Amino acid sequence: MFHGSIVALLTPFKNGKVDEAAFQSFVEWQVAEGTHALVPCGTTGESPTLSHEEHDRVVELCIEAAGGKVPVIAGTGSNSTDEAIRLTQHAKKAGAQAALVVTPYYNKPSQEGLYQHFKAIHDQADLPIIIYNIPGRSVVDMSVATMARLAKLPNIVGVKDATADLARPLRTRVAIGPEFCQLSGEDATVTAFLAQGGVGCISVTANVAPRLCADLHNAWRRGDHATVERIRDQLMPLHDAMFVETSPAPVKYAASLLGKCTPDVRLPLVPASESAREAVREAMKKAGVL
């Protein structure tokens, strides 16, 4: 259903507000560079600090700018089930092709709680759902067994796996089947994830190296492993630099160097430090994107 380089879009700010013009221009650039799908309002898009009105608007702006050329997978997760339902219903109404729904953070639900949370969203919002499993930020890990149980529901179609467990995609493939859409949430391990049964990556790095990220996935799909290895190695320093401090501060600074947005982030995040900025600049030069 979804595959390849899927960008976890940053949200540009200007004078404390969403910079709508910069955001739509950024989306158009991503599409022109070959990005295969778009994710607005994820963690990289600073969704925790967007108001409900801003969240809805960013999704709408993304869908409008994409113009049907590539799928839009709207971030609609929340640790409130009712809020996640509302956000997912809005994404459906706005014209998104799917929703990316994170496991509830802070609440620490049981596996049964996770199941019931996703089932409630599934039952009340008629939109394909990709589970976002990221224990490092949500402090809860959905088991393969729970995911297999959810996958029996017709609109639970895949997972963004940010566990950094490279045995997980193969275990998931064996438990659920190859039709379940497995997308990596870790740029640095993407080729290993693809080899273990994945079909794409929801990427932070693609914000600033969309063409290279897309080329890697295109090469993988045609079996050109020499090109995959070359681009993999070229991008590795950039992957590291994007997380030298808490994301999305480094990637926003990187995008600012390309003239795509300001480096502004919202509290409680702060802009990248000078040492982080230096690391980002050096990595972008090594990758050939600056």
Side-chain angles (χ1 to χ4, degrees):
M1 178 177 288
F2 306 106
H3 70 272
S5 180
I6 303 172
V7 62
L9 290 163
L10 54 79
T11 303
F13 297 129
K14 187 176 183 179
N15 300 322
K17 299 181 181 298
V18 174
D19 188 338
E20 295 190 359
F23 180 67
Q24 289 203 307
S25 176
F26 189 68
V27 168
E28 291 166 357
W29 177 64
Q30 288 285 332
V31 174
E33 288 290 291
T35 294
H36 299 107
L38 307 161
V39 177
C41 297
T43 309
T44 310
E46 295 176 80
S47 58
T49 56
L50 297 177
S51 70
H52 291 178
E53 293 76 17
E54 287 174 328
H55 190 122
D56 290 350
R57 181 63 176 153
V58 168
V59 170
E60 292 163 1
L61 289 167
C62 182
I63 292 166
E64 180 181 291
K69 295 176 182 176
V70 299
V72 173
I73 305 168
T76 64
S78 172
N79 62 344
S80 162
T81 303
D82 285 347
E83 183 176 321
I85 290 168
R86 190 205 70 78
L87 290 169
T88 308
Q89 289 173 337
H90 171 266
K92 166 72 174 181
K93 183 178 179 181
Q97 281 68 50
L100 179 67
V101 181
V102 69
T103 50
Y105 38 88
Y106 191 76
N107 312 54
K108 295 184 72 173
S110 66
Q111 293 298 309
E112 182 62 25
L114 288 172
Y115 177 82
Q116 295 299 337
H117 174 79
F118 280 91
K119 184 177 186 300
I121 301 166
H122 172 278
D123 290 349
Q124 296 186 58
D126 182 23
L127 191 65
I129 291 170
I130 296 172
I131 298 163
Y132 183 10
N133 193 29
I134 181 165
R137 283 190 185 254
S138 64
V139 202
V140 63
D141 184 4
M142 182 181 288
S143 69
V144 173
T146 300
M147 199 167 294
R149 187 180 171 202
L150 281 165
K152 294 176 182 177
L153 303 174
N155 266 346
I156 303 290
V157 300
V159 60
K160 176 184 177 182
D161 185 327
T163 64
D165 175 2
L166 289 173
R168 185 76 65 98
L170 184 54
R171 291 193 178 106
T172 301
R173 180 183 173 91
V174 169
I176 302 175
E179 70 284 350
F180 193 66
C181 178
Q182 294 198 71
L183 304 169
S184 173
E186 300 282 348
D187 276 298
T189 60
V190 63
T191 53
F193 189 92
L194 293 171
Q196 289 284 82
V199 295
C201 179
I202 298 181
S203 168
V204 174
T205 302
N207 279 283
V208 293
R211 176 64 65 183
L212 280 171
C213 290
D215 285 350
L216 183 149
H217 287 274
N218 291 336
W220 177 268
R221 287 175 69 84
R222 65 175 182 265
D224 181 358
H225 293 162
T227 297
V228 171
E229 291 173 7
R230 175 181 58 79
I231 299 174
R232 176 199 63 195
D233 295 354
Q234 183 178 352
L235 284 173
M236 189 62 209
L238 193 55
H239 297 328
D240 284 340
M242 293 302 95
F243 293 92
V244 69
E245 288 180 352
T246 302
S247 182
V251 73
K252 277 198 147 177
Y253 174 66
S256 77
L257 295 178
L258 300 177
K260 302 300 180 183
C261 65
T262 72
D264 297 353
V265 292
R266 282 182 173 170
L267 289 170
L269 300 182
V270 294
S273 67
E274 185 49 49
S275 62
R277 291 179 177 217
E278 182 179 354
V280 167
R281 289 193 298 269
E282 288 304 309
M284 291 177 74
K285 290 174 183 175
K286 285 182 180 178
V289 297
L290 183 63

